[in-house]
């Protein structure tokens, strides 16, 4: 008896990435050699458009197949409650896993809830452009202690610390960590 083999599915999401600067989409410099190699044996979409200008509603639309006005995940207090295509893959017997450094693997927004396993990648100080940055370490300790009322306050405090301690290497470290 012949049994159909389910194809492996790998979905690679790159947040805030411009197709016109990826060599796999024709950019003249070799900016993405791994993606070029992967694209040779993959389905590559030439006309894919985001449903929003920022991540949560875009990912929510991608995973649910609905417009932001339908899934209503349009602000940071939103949670995706609609079934996602991952739910359907699970029903078909697929094993699903997400690895993310951002929203895609985050339980807080409901997007990753359907995955069998989730792994959140955290950037640590060894990954910074300039290691041994005491100002950034202080910023991170304050964040972990939850001493900020808002994200804006965190940015303001970080800027104040960088200026007070005259740590120019903290600026690229902070930006690298955030984006």
């Amino acid at each position: 008896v012949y049994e159909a083999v389910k194809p492996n599915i790998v979905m690679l999401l790159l947040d805030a990435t411009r197709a016109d600067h990826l060599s796999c989409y024709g950019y003249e410099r070799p900016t993405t050699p791994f993606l070029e190699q992967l694209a040779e044996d993959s389905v590559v979409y030439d006309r894919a458009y985001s449903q929003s200008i920022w991540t949560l509603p875009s990912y929510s639309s991608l995973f649910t197949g609905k417009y932001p006005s339908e899934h209503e995940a349009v602000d940071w207090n939103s949670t995706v409650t609609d079934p996602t295509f991952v739910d359907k893959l699970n029903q078909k017997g697929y094993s699903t896993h997400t690895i993310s450094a951002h929203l895609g693997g985050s339980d807080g927004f409901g997007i990753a809830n359907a995955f069998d396993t989730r792994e959140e990648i955290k950037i640590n100080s060894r990954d910074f452009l300039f290691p041994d940055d005491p100002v950034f370490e202080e910023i991170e300790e304050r964040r972990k202690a939850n001493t900020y009322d808002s994200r804006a306050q965190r940015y303001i405090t970080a800027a104040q610390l960088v200026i007070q301690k005259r740590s120019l290497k903290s600026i690229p470290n902070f930006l690298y960590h955030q984006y």
Side-chain angles (χ1 to χ4, degrees):
V1 172
Y2 175 77
E3 186 175 323
V5 177
K6 293 182 289 207
N8 291 323
I9 301 169
V10 175
M11 186 171 170
L12 179 62
L13 300 176
L14 302 173
D15 197 1
T17 304
R18 291 176 42 167
D20 66 340
H21 280 73
L22 301 176
S23 51
C24 61
Y25 279 101
Y27 189 59
E28 65 274 1
R29 291 179 30 217
T31 55
T32 51
F34 172 75
L35 293 180
E36 276 184 79
Q37 185 180 13
L38 185 63
E40 289 176 10
D41 297 319
S42 302
V43 175
V44 178
Y45 294 93
D46 293 330
R47 294 182 184 205
Y49 301 95
S50 178
Q51 293 300 316
S52 178
I53 60 170
W54 66 288
T55 308
L56 178 61
S58 297
Y59 275 30
S60 300
S61 291
L62 183 66
F63 279 78
T64 65
K66 295 181 176 184
Y67 290 108
S69 59
E70 296 172 306
H71 60 63
E72 298 180 347
V74 294
D75 63 48
W76 287 114
N77 297 318
S78 301
T79 301
V80 177
T81 58
D82 294 326
T84 68
F85 73 88
V86 178
D87 293 304
K88 292 182 180 18
L89 289 173
N90 289 336
Q91 291 169 3
K92 297 283 185 185
Y94 276 88
S95 174
T96 57
H97 181 75
T98 181
I99 302 170
S100 174
H102 191 46
L103 188 62
S106 175
D107 289 329
F109 301 105
I111 294 172
N113 293 349
F115 286 92
D116 294 328
T117 59
R118 296 174 291 281
E119 182 178 340
E120 192 79 18
I121 298 171
K122 297 290 183 188
I123 297 173
N124 62 46
S125 59
R126 293 187 316 259
D127 297 328
F128 290 135
L129 302 172
F130 301 99
D132 302 321
D133 180 355
V135 173
F136 189 82
E137 296 299 326
E138 185 174 342
I139 292 167
E140 277 301 288
E141 289 302 317
R142 290 182 183 197
R143 184 189 63 78
K144 289 176 186 173
N146 202 21
T147 60
Y148 302 110
D149 293 331
S150 67
R151 179 174 266 196
Q153 184 187 15
R154 180 176 173 207
Y155 290 120
I156 292 166
T157 302
Q160 289 170 337
L161 285 170
V162 167
I163 291 167
Q164 288 170 358
K165 301 198 179 196
R166 300 175 199 261
S167 176
L168 292 180
K169 67 182 178 181
S170 299
I171 295 169
N173 281 347
F174 184 73
L175 294 173
Y176 182 80
H177 178 70
Q178 293 302 309
Y179 303 104

